[in-house]
């Protein structure tokens, strides 16, 4: 019984020392929140990704909020980009002016069958492309140039 207690305390000491050293080596950077919107209900900004040095793209959701892709600049100005359908994995990826996500689509004929296809939104042209039909694609990722997509099938 005593050996478990000693092991436990040694482990806690080891982790405490590790995190203390880690904290001392870390540079803390002051920041101010970009979004200054004061809402009554909780709002979540998921998977933020840099568009450029002054804008972030995020997937905005909330209790009184239809899910949408938004950009937020350093001044806190928020702009809706697009409202997608139901994101299957809940994730998206951005690169070089293109946004890709996997979207759940119900079968037209059979109510118990659904598919997951990829949607690509071009921020410059403001167009949507659909990749696949009757497919089950998940977790898409764009190449740095934005011309190739890797995903799980």
């Amino acid at each position: 019984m005593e050996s478990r207690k000693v092991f436990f305390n040694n482990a806690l000491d080891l982790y405490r020392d590790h995190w203390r050293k880690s904290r001392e080596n870390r540079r803390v950077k002051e920041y101010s929140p970009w979004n200054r919107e004061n809402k009554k209900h909780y709002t979540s900004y998921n998977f933020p990704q840099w568009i450029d040095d002054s804008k972030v793209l995020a997937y905005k959701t909330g209790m009184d909020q239809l899910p949408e892709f938004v950009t937020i600049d350093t001044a806190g100005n928020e702009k809706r980009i697009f409202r997608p359908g139901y994101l299957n994995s809940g994730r998206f990826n951005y690169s070089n002016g293109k946004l890709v996500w996997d979207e759940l689509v119900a079968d037209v004929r059979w109510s118990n069958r659904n598919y997951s296809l990829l949607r690509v939104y071009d921020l410059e042209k403001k167009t949507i492309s659909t990749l696949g039909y009757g497919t089950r694609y998940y977790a898409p990722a764009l190449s740095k140039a934005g011309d190739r997509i890797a995903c799980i099938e």
Side-chain angles (χ1 to χ4, degrees), residues 5 13 37 39 45 53 64-66 68-69 73 75 81 92 97 122 124-125 129 135 143 145-146:
K5 186 176 181 180
D13 290 341
E37 201 175 304
K39 294 193 82 160
Y45 294 86
D53 291 341
D64 63 342
Q65 168 73 46
L66 288 173
E68 60 189 8
F69 293 113
D73 64 15
I81 300 298
F92 73 94
D122 189 320
E124 186 180 317
K125 297 177 186 175
S129 304
T135 55
S143 65

Side-chain angles (χ1 to χ4, degrees), residues 21-89:
K21 287 176 187 172
S22 176
R23 183 180 63 211
E24 290 169 0
N25 293 335
R26 210 176 309 137
R27 291 181 315 207
V28 177
K29 184 177 178 183
E30 293 295 322
Y31 76 96
S32 60
W34 284 19
N35 182 358
R36 292 167 176 69
E37 201 175 304
N38 191 6
K39 294 193 82 160
K40 185 177 180 179
H41 298 287
Y42 176 79
T43 301
S44 179
Y45 294 86
N46 297 309
F47 313 111
Q49 297 181 32
W50 289 100
I51 290 180
D52 55 34
D53 291 341
S54 63
K55 280 187 191 172
V56 170
L57 176 70
Y59 183 57
K60 181 179 178 181
T61 60
M63 291 176 65
D64 63 342
Q65 168 73 46
L66 288 173
E68 60 189 8
F69 293 113
V70 296
T71 58
I72 305 171
D73 64 15
T74 54
N77 301 317
E78 188 174 303
K79 180 182 174 189
R80 179 187 311 141
I81 300 298
F82 180 72
R83 283 191 172 144
Y86 181 75
L87 272 65
N88 194 21
S89 68

Side-chain angles (χ1 to χ4, degrees), residues 128-142:
I128 302 170
S129 304
T130 301
L131 302 174
Y133 177 78
T135 55
R136 289 189 171 82
Y137 294 140
Y138 303 95
L142 282 163

